[in-house]
Amino acid sequence: MTKHRQHIFVRLHRWRLKHLGERGFLTVLSIVIGVLSGIAAVVLKNTVRFTEEMVHNLVTNEVQNYIYFALPVVGIFLAILVIKYIVRSEVRHGIPNVLYSISKRKGKISRHNLFSSVVTASLTVGFGGSVGLEGPTVATGTAWGSWIASIFRLNYKNTILMLACACAGAMAAIFKAPIAAIVFAVEVIMIDLTVFSLVPLLLASSTAVVTSYLFLGQDVLYPFNVVDAFELGDLPFYIALGIVTGFVSVYFTKMYLFVADIFEKLKSSRIRLLAGGAGLGALIFLFPSLYGEGYESINECLAGDLNYLFDNSLFYSLREELWAAMLLIVAVILLKIVATSLTFGAGGVGGIFAPTLFMGVNTGMLFSLLINRLGIRDLNSNNFALIGMAGLIAGVLHAPLTGIFLIADISGGYKLFVPLMVTATFAYLIVRAFTPNSVYHIQLARRKELLTHDKDANVLQLMQVKNLIETDFEVLSPDATLRDLTEAITRAHRDLFPIVKEDGTMVGMVKMDDVRTMIFKHELYDTVKISELMYMPEFSIDPNDSMEIVTAKFESSGRYNLAVIEEGKYIGFISRARVFTRYRKQIIDVSHV
């Protein structure tokens, strides 16, 4: 940043401190972030649309199927080149990156995310990568939110609020679903919805969606006309659909992690690109409906038109056969997450929202077709296709409210609110029984870097052991005598004395209470060795321990001070009082009132 720009921001910062209170300033910033998030969504959408049109114009009908085998690989390869030679830094998946920044980086997001996700996601999706755009949009919006927070030197709690506003704004703009976007920020980003945070979230979400309306129009993303309203007799089938979508969500999560683990073992980026690209190309060649976001396929399915399953495919001659359509639906449900995982594994950038919606709409359609085919009940397939999307969102994201409000918002299907609630709830209950964390959260949870709605756990997560270590203790050698100890006592303001070898290895400690009567017996000063008085503590702390482990050791040991030892080497002590003081300060830092 140039000195001139710095001067402008400093003057603006001083002006706002003089004329605007904290809440008023955050209100203004939330509107700015809403506009920026909306613009990010518009730019990304239009860039992908331009890329797709350019690609399709280069493809001739004669070689269409065969060129689609290679196109996704080309897009991913171009994205890798941008990352390697222009960005020169890893472009992480959008929403997990936001969660990581909240947990471990105090809300700071790398500056390259201001543009990198837009460019790389446009290449990935524009050339047919089987992923969505919501993750990159959130990554871009939150990067702007983080940048603005850093410029105005916002504290931690306000920085996180700005990230949540950016996240809500990005989701509102790309899906044109302002209410669902706020719910998403609460459920997935896991911000506490308080009276303080509600107004900025509402303003950011509404501003972003208005920005999207200005550039992309006001049509809902997936237009849907409710012809047959909810009937009470269909309730058992919506419950059954919830159970089915729950198990499909479990499959989604397990398969996603399975493929991701395979690619993590491949150290070479070239091998990952070739393996992932070849697999993705083969899947798209056999099942063209797996190409890209799947936006058009979802709309066709919602309208009851299953031709998307056969268009440009080897199975086109079977388009009039219902059994063929049902088999193809099974195939694309099972293979969509494989195609998405291969896209990520090969090096592509995108999101999982669109694949989730694609699998959900096909699961709902297949469920209703099967019930109708068996003659059990005459169900409205279009309604069940719509509700299936809510079930998958509730299951895959572990976000039932997001599933309910998002599908109602993006489709205008509020007349089906009851079945949306029923299916989303049962899907969530099923998936929670098998996968305690969502796709977004599971990797962070494995590394114990995930913040949750448990405020106590979050505060402990944000505290770091290294910042609690106290080193102002008088250290003694194992060869020291009682005289040396008494001299140390005159200098010390602590009642613990670590015994440490020359190489830094801790071999024991002495407490003041253990020698209180001896220090007045001068005849023992030169005869009693410290090694005779010391003991090795039963409980100690490693600097790499989590705060949950630290607090558990304090509770189980009953001690007020615990030694910090790393590979046998003495580091210092952590006191119960210091932990409690830092905990109270952290509570204040992260809490809105």
Side-chain angles (χ1 to χ4, degrees):
M1 186 183 295
T2 65
K3 290 183 178 180
H4 177 67
R5 291 171 63 191
Q6 283 181 331
H7 181 65
I8 292 175
F9 283 121
V10 168
R11 291 183 61 184
L12 182 61
H13 186 61
R14 289 174 178 171
W15 180 88
R16 81 92 176 170
L17 288 175
K18 184 177 180 180
H19 296 91
L20 280 177
E22 180 182 70
R23 297 195 176 190
F25 183 62
L26 292 177
T27 299
V28 173
L29 285 187
S30 67
I31 296 173
V32 174
I33 289 173
V35 172
L36 292 174
S37 299
I39 292 174
V42 171
V43 170
L44 185 55
K45 268 288 186 183
N46 285 329
T47 305
V48 170
R49 186 180 303 166
F50 171 79
T51 306
E52 288 176 338
E53 290 177 356
M54 180 188 69
V55 170
H56 287 303
N57 288 336
L58 295 175
V59 176
T60 62
N61 292 330
E62 289 77 13
V63 295
Q64 186 167 314
N65 273 34
Y66 299 98
I67 199 68
Y68 281 149
F69 184 92
L71 281 178
V73 185
V74 174
I76 295 171
F77 177 65
L78 292 174
I80 292 173
L81 291 180
V82 170
I83 293 170
K84 186 173 182 180
Y85 294 106
I86 298 178
V87 179
R88 296 182 180 180
S89 180
E90 183 180 3
V91 179
R92 297 173 179 268
H93 297 317
I95 294 170
N97 187 37
V98 175
L99 293 170
Y100 177 79
S101 72
I102 292 173
S103 173
K104 290 299 180 182
R105 301 193 62 198
K106 297 182 179 180
K108 295 179 181 178
I109 297 177
S110 301
R111 293 290 176 263
H112 69 76
N113 284 287
L114 295 171
F115 67 91
S116 60
S117 293
V118 172
V119 177
T120 54
S122 298
L123 292 170
T124 301
V125 178
F127 278 80
S130 195
V131 290
L133 297 176
E134 74 296 326
T137 307
V138 169
T140 305
T142 51
W144 283 100
S146 175
W147 179 66
I148 288 175
S150 67
I151 286 176
F152 293 103
R153 301 171 186 174
L154 300 185
N155 58 25
Y156 175 80
K157 63 183 178 184
N158 291 334
T159 296
I160 302 310
L161 178 58
M162 292 302 100
L163 292 188
C165 288
C167 178
M171 293 296 292
I174 199 166
F175 285 113
K176 300 180 183 177
I179 300 301
I182 295 174
V183 175
F184 176 83
V186 174
E187 278 195 308
V188 178
I189 303 301
M190 294 187 173
I191 183 176
D192 288 329
L193 184 61
T194 63
V195 175
F196 180 85
S197 62
L198 183 58
V199 172
L201 283 171
L202 284 169
L203 287 173
S205 183
S206 57
T207 304
V209 80
V210 168
T211 303
S212 180
Y213 285 162
L214 289 174
F215 292 95
L216 301 177
Q218 298 186 38
D219 295 334
V220 293
L221 190 62
Y222 300 109
F224 186 84
N225 184 25
V226 180
V227 177
D228 296 329
F230 169 63
E231 296 181 9
L232 194 59
D234 292 339
L235 181 61
F237 298 95
Y238 284 115
I239 293 174
L241 178 61
I243 295 171
V244 171
T245 52
F247 282 111
V248 174
S249 300
V250 173
Y251 166 76
F252 184 110
T253 304
K254 300 289 186 183
M255 181 57 70
Y256 177 85
L257 294 174
F258 174 74
V259 177
D261 288 341
I262 291 176
F263 276 90
E264 280 186 8
K265 297 175 183 177
L266 301 176
K267 303 304 180 183
S268 170
S269 59
R270 292 183 180 180
I271 294 176
R272 289 196 293 269
L273 174 62
L274 292 174
L280 177 62
L283 289 178
I284 292 176
F285 176 75
L286 292 173
F287 306 99
S289 59
L290 300 178
Y291 183 89
E293 285 185 277
Y295 166 79
E296 293 180 358
S297 297
I298 292 174
N299 275 330
E300 289 183 35
C301 186
L302 287 174
D305 182 2
L306 301 182
N307 284 328
Y308 68 93
L309 297 165
F310 301 95
D311 290 343
N312 300 319
S313 78
L314 303 176
F315 313 104
Y316 185 75
S317 60
L318 300 174
R319 63 187 182 280
E320 301 297 332
E321 302 292 340
L322 181 60
W323 63 267
M326 294 175 68
L327 288 177
L328 284 178
I329 292 177
V330 172
V332 297
I333 290 172
L334 295 176
L335 295 176
K336 180 62 175 181
I337 184 54
V338 178
T340 298
S341 301
L342 289 173
T343 303
F344 288 137
V349 176
I352 64 168
F353 238 95
T356 302
L357 294 172
F358 180 89
M359 290 177 65
V361 75
N362 280 284
T363 300
M365 177 59 71
L366 177 64
F367 177 86
S368 62
L369 290 177
L370 185 61
I371 296 297
N372 293 342
R373 185 75 170 179
L374 295 175
I376 299 174
R377 185 175 175 84
D378 186 18
L379 302 177
N380 185 306
S381 295
N382 297 358
N383 287 359
F384 275 78
L386 179 73
I387 306 301
M389 293 197 291
L392 258 291
I393 292 174
V396 172
L397 276 60
H398 286 216
L401 290 176
T402 300
I404 294 167
F405 285 100
L406 181 64
I407 299 307
D409 265 358
I410 64 180
S411 65
Y414 279 95
K415 294 179 181 178
L416 297 174
F417 213 76
V418 171
L420 278 171
M421 294 173 62
V422 170
T423 298
T425 301
F426 276 88
Y428 178 69
L429 290 174
I430 291 295
V431 78
R432 284 284 296 180
F434 293 91
T435 55
N437 292 292
S438 73
V439 171
Y440 288 143
H441 301 144
I442 198 164
Q443 298 287 4
L444 294 175
R446 284 179 176 180
R447 301 193 297 266
K448 298 186 183 300
E449 297 170 349
L450 176 66
L451 298 185
T452 69
H453 285 294
D454 185 337
K455 183 171 288 188
D456 286 337
N458 290 348
V459 171
L460 291 175
Q461 177 73 32
L462 292 169
M463 294 168 62
Q464 296 183 347
V465 170
K466 65 181 181 180
N467 295 331
L468 299 171
I469 299 174
E470 300 171 74
T471 57
D472 55 340
F473 290 80
E474 290 289 333
V475 178
L476 295 172
S477 165
D479 298 326
T481 63
L482 183 60
R483 181 182 297 278
D484 297 318
L485 175 60
T486 56
E487 291 177 355
I489 290 173
T490 62
R491 300 189 301 268
H493 59 279
R494 301 283 193 165
D495 61 356
L496 288 176
F497 300 89
I499 314 302
V500 182
K501 291 183 177 180
E502 290 184 2
D503 64 356
T505 302
M506 184 173 180
V507 294
M509 58 185 286
V510 175
K511 290 193 300 184
M512 173 74 103
D513 288 344
D514 296 337
V515 297
R516 192 178 300 276
T517 59
M518 299 179 66
I519 59 177
F520 297 105
K521 298 178 179 180
H522 297 273
E523 67 274 11
L524 300 178
Y525 277 17
D526 298 314
T527 59
V528 176
K529 299 287 186 180
I530 290 296
S531 57
E532 300 172 15
L533 304 174
M534 70 182 184
Y535 69 95
M536 195 64 188
E538 180 183 356
F539 295 90
S540 64
I541 296 171
D542 187 283
N544 297 314
D545 284 345
S546 67
M547 284 306 303
E548 288 85 357
I549 293 175
V550 172
T551 54
K553 286 182 178 180
F554 271 115
E555 184 176 353
S556 59
S557 68
R559 304 292 185 187
Y560 289 94
N561 295 276
L562 293 177
V564 182
I565 304 173
E566 184 175 21
E567 297 181 352
K569 306 295 185 181
Y570 166 75
I571 306 295
F573 281 83
I574 291 180
S575 68
R576 185 192 294 260
R578 189 178 180 90
V579 170
F580 181 69
T581 300
R582 182 60 61 88
Y583 175 87
R584 292 189 64 185
K585 182 179 183 300
Q586 195 74 54
I587 279 282
I588 295 171
D589 289 343
V590 304
S591 298
H592 292 290
V593 295

